[in-house]
Amino acid sequence: MEQLKIIMKRAMIVAIIILIYGVLTNNKYLYIGMFLGALLSILGFYMIYLDARASLVSNSPFKAGVTGYLKRYILYGAFLALLTKFYGLPMLIGGVIGLLNIKINILIITFSNSIKRFIQNRNS
């Protein structure tokens, strides 16, 4: 649970940095596409947590898992479709990069933990 809180906290920090940078540079692709994508990524990650918890107590965990999966990807698809329809391809790319917020944060945390363990093992 502690790792989930760390991931969520770092993802929120990244989303806020994206928003501030987008506003300062007056780049709508950043402060609309990437920021909303980052927020949706955080929401999707929280939905995964809720689905996993519901699957543990459900009589049919497969059904609960598939339903949660479909809800998340319909939400992502609708978000990307709306961005493309109203703003075009550059906004779609910004939204996709924003949706990768959680994944990139998890990769960075894993990579930094691996480097720390490597350094500790080397010094031992």
Side-chain angles (χ1 to χ4, degrees):
M1 186 64 187
E2 192 62 34
Q3 288 291 332
L4 295 176
K5 289 179 183 178
I6 291 170
I7 292 169
M8 297 282 278
K9 192 181 302 183
R10 287 186 182 183
M12 281 301 292
I13 291 169
V14 169
I16 291 169
I17 290 171
I18 290 170
L19 177 65
I20 291 170
Y21 181 69
V23 169
L24 289 177
T25 60
N26 197 23
N27 187 339
K28 68 180 180 182
Y29 304 122
L30 285 173
Y31 68 81
I32 294 175
M34 282 182 72
F35 176 68
L36 290 178
L39 289 181
L40 196 58
S41 173
I42 295 167
L43 175 67
F45 187 66
Y46 184 68
M47 288 171 68
I48 291 172
Y49 165 73
L50 293 177
D51 291 340
R53 208 170 68 182
S55 292
L56 290 174
V57 297
S58 175
N59 291 335
S60 59
F62 179 77
K63 182 179 176 185
V66 170
T67 304
Y69 179 83
L70 289 174
K71 283 191 284 188
R72 283 192 311 278
Y73 279 91
I74 288 172
L75 185 65
Y76 296 156
F79 169 69
L80 294 174
L82 288 173
L83 283 182
T84 305
K85 179 175 172 61
F86 292 111
Y87 296 104
L89 184 63
M91 188 67 78
L92 171 70
I93 294 169
V96 168
I97 293 170
L99 284 173
L100 294 174
N101 178 20
I102 288 286
K103 290 175 180 27
I104 293 170
N105 274 301
I106 291 171
L107 284 173
I108 290 171
I109 290 169
T110 304
F111 186 67
S112 66
N113 288 343
S114 297
I115 290 174
K116 286 177 188 175
R117 273 185 270 149
F118 176 75
I119 291 172
Q120 287 174 353
N121 290 338
R122 190 175 173 129
N123 290 336
S124 297

